[in-house]
Amino acid sequence: MRVLVIGSGAREHALVEALRRDSGVTAIAAAPGNPGIAQVAEVRPVDPVGAESVVGAAREFGADLVVIGPEVPLVLGIADAVRAAGIACFGPSAAAARIEGSKAFAKDVMSAAGVRTAHSEIVDHPGELDAALDRFGPTWVVKDDGLAAGKGVVVTADRSAARDHGAELLEQGHPVLLESFLDGPEVSLFCLVDGETVVPLLPAQDHKRVGDGDTGPNTGGMGAYAPLPWLPAEAAAEIVDDVVKPVAAEMVRRGVPFSGLLYAGLAIGQAGPAVIEFNCRFGDPETQAVLALLDSPLGALLHATATGTLAQAQPPRWKDGAAITVVLAAENYPSRPRTGDVISGTEGAVANTEVLHAGTSQRSDGALVSAGGRVLNVVATGGDLTEARVNAYARIAGIKLPGSHFRTDIGLAAVEDRISLPTRV
């Protein structure tokens, strides 16, 4: 099988590395890829949101399967174009991708499916914002109703900060979604979905805030770990049965069946799991940790999903131990990150670790330089989460990027047994 991966971040780098471990995958290309991917696979200068460009690249490469990583191409219907060209594609249709592209649509689906989520209101006029804010609090959750790469969300106990963010979004012409705050530990659960067939992957936990101790603004994600030692197997099964399967069935009922990776972000409170958001693709940076533990052929699983045969596929197998992703971010991220700085220390193989490229480019003189906010990911495995953390932080200590920063506490609360599920009421 020849596989073309669409995207240029660390998530796509992780997908490429996992596909390389599948003996059934004979050739891999990434479009547009990045300098890290270029070391292990073919890269092609393709516009990932251009349907003709992607289809042309898939045909030229002779792809048996196209895997679309980012959400924007999916929301814009690139998967539809690939399938229309007669090529198997892992990723939902534009109609089904609205589960991420429109939070209002996602709320409607969850309501119809009987899935618990936060109470919410859409505000699309500045004159309605203050009255709506008065109906929420004392912790306000203010979201961009569209795609915002994880950075369009403000969670704050400061009403004025909530108002400022809502007003800014409205000024930009974006509807605002206000939500009630969901407490309890958060879980990211990825599921392969083929119509009503749902196959869960390992649960993971993301760290959204930029600073240690969950301080500072939200980001696209500063790190993640898997599995979750504090989440019992029956709790993960409950999420599948009570959240993901009903949503998948509702999508089928609406005539927009989901095919691809459905990501459920949840908070588990005293009343059980409640959905914070759905995404229509592999999450970043959780994917990097989850795939590091996959012991099954990834290409076979993705192809089965894409071709409607997931129900007949072998369930995924997992390695023992734990995995962690730590994001190295550029100076000023998540505001206006500084780019163009030389990166060193990424070379060489170090046991139980790998360096994935997220926002890098290569200068004409061959130097590797920063080209985005989240620049690199260090992914490490270990016999348990403690060992995985030691390996990851030992590796990241050797990487040099002027002004860069990373969180030192990824997975630490779990290691110190500071996370537990609340007692049910």
Side-chain angles (χ1 to χ4, degrees), residues 4 6 31 44 46 51-63 87:
L4 174 64
I6 304 300
R44 297 185 173 224
V46 168
E52 290 185 8
S53 180
V54 172
V55 170
R59 285 175 168 156
E60 184 180 337
F61 180 65
I87 303 168

Side-chain angles (χ1 to χ4, degrees), residues 66-138:
V66 173
V67 178
I68 299 178
E71 62 272 23
V72 175
L74 293 168
V75 170
L76 292 177
I78 303 303
D80 300 270
V82 172
R83 279 189 282 268
I87 303 168
C89 186
F90 182 85
S93 65
R98 284 184 296 163
I99 196 80
E100 178 172 1
S102 168
K103 294 178 179 65
F105 174 79
K107 292 287 187 183
D108 189 57
V109 169
M110 285 185 275
S111 176
V115 170
R116 291 186 64 248
T117 185
H119 167 68
S120 65
E121 289 185 31
I122 293 285
V123 179
D124 55 13
H125 189 279
E128 301 169 355
L129 181 59
D130 282 310
L133 286 169
D134 289 342
R135 293 189 285 272
F136 290 82

Side-chain angles (χ1 to χ4, degrees), residues 347-421:
E347 307 81 7
V350 178
N352 300 315
T353 70
E354 58 183 349
V355 178
L356 304 179
H357 290 229
T360 66
S361 63
Q362 200 154 23
R363 283 194 324 214
S364 57
D365 65 358
L368 183 68
V369 298
S370 58
R374 293 186 294 173
V375 181
L376 296 169
N377 289 184
V378 169
V379 181
T381 56
D384 57 20
L385 187 53
T386 298
E387 183 182 347
R389 276 178 44 82
V390 169
N391 293 338
Y393 285 110
R395 184 69 188 274
I396 205 168
I399 299 173
K400 305 304 178 187
L401 171 63
S404 62
H405 58 98
F406 58 89
R407 282 185 59 161
T408 66
D409 64 346
I410 305 301
L412 182 60
V415 166
E416 294 180 344
D417 200 23
R418 290 188 280 116
I419 306 176
S420 61
L421 296 183

Side-chain angles (χ1 to χ4, degrees), residues 32-407:
N34 62 43
I37 295 174
Q39 296 174 15
V40 295
E42 181 181 343
V43 295
R44 297 185 173 224
V46 168
D47 177 7
V49 298
E52 290 185 8
S53 180
V54 172
V55 170
R59 285 175 168 156
E60 184 180 337
F61 180 65
D64 301 297
L65 175 67
V66 173
V67 178
I68 299 178
E71 62 272 23
V72 175
L74 293 168
V75 170
L76 292 177
I78 303 303
D80 300 270
V82 172
R83 279 189 282 268
I87 303 168
C89 186
F90 182 85
S93 65
R98 284 184 296 163
I99 196 80
E100 178 172 1
S102 168
K103 294 178 179 65
F105 174 79
K107 292 287 187 183
D108 189 57
V109 169
M110 285 185 275
S111 176
V115 170
R116 291 186 64 248
T117 185
H119 167 68
S120 65
E121 289 185 31
I122 293 285
V123 179
D124 55 13
H125 189 279
E128 301 169 355
L129 181 59
D130 282 310
L133 286 169
D134 289 342
R135 293 189 285 272
F136 290 82
T139 299
W140 286 267
V141 181
V142 186
K143 297 182 177 182
D144 188 329
D145 185 51
L147 296 176
K151 297 187 288 291
V153 180
V154 165
V155 180
T156 180
D158 184 342
R159 188 186 186 283
S160 62
R163 188 186 190 283
D164 288 346
H165 184 58
E168 181 182 359
L169 292 174
L170 289 166
E171 187 176 338
Q172 295 169 357
H174 298 196
V176 171
L177 181 75
L178 298 180
E179 287 187 337
S180 57
F181 177 69
L182 296 173
D183 59 359
E186 294 188 8
V187 175
S188 298
L189 183 64
F190 298 169
C191 292
L192 300 172
V193 176
D194 166 19
E196 293 196 43
T197 301
V198 174
V199 175
L201 305 185
L202 284 182
Q205 188 177 61
D206 186 12
H207 295 62
K208 283 290 189 188
R209 301 277 190 167
V210 71
D212 283 4
D214 292 326
T215 57
N218 270 2
T219 70
M222 292 299 294
Y225 65 97
L228 308 181
W230 46 268
L231 185 72
E234 57 268 24
E238 180 186 12
I239 294 170
V240 174
D241 291 341
D242 295 351
V243 175
V244 184
K245 286 184 176 179
V247 165
E250 174 62 17
M251 298 285 279
V252 170
R253 190 192 69 78
R254 291 177 179 228
V256 287
F258 194 95
S259 172
L261 194 290
L262 188 58
Y263 164 137
L266 311 106
I268 304 183
Q270 290 183 320
V275 175
I276 299 170
E277 64 177 353
F278 275 107
N279 290 337
C280 65
R281 38 71 194 184
F282 278 104
D284 182 347
E286 299 99 318
T287 296
Q288 292 86 303
V290 171
L291 291 185
L293 295 172
L294 181 66
D295 203 28
S296 296
L298 178 63
L301 284 167
L302 302 186
H303 189 266
T305 306
T307 55
T309 60
L310 182 60
Q312 288 79 53
Q314 290 293 315
R317 300 183 309 275
W318 302 99
K319 301 172 186 175
D320 293 333
I324 182 174
T325 307
V326 180
V327 172
L328 182 73
E331 184 175 352
N332 296 327
Y333 178 79
S335 181
R336 295 185 177 181
R338 198 173 84 181
T339 59
D341 290 310
V342 174
I343 306 163
S344 62
T346 63
E347 307 81 7
V350 178
N352 300 315
T353 70
E354 58 183 349
V355 178
L356 304 179
H357 290 229
T360 66
S361 63
Q362 200 154 23
R363 283 194 324 214
S364 57
D365 65 358
L368 183 68
V369 298
S370 58
R374 293 186 294 173
V375 181
L376 296 169
N377 289 184
V378 169
V379 181
T381 56
D384 57 20
L385 187 53
T386 298
E387 183 182 347
R389 276 178 44 82
V390 169
N391 293 338
Y393 285 110
R395 184 69 188 274
I396 205 168
I399 299 173
K400 305 304 178 187
L401 171 63
S404 62
H405 58 98
F406 58 89
R407 282 185 59 161

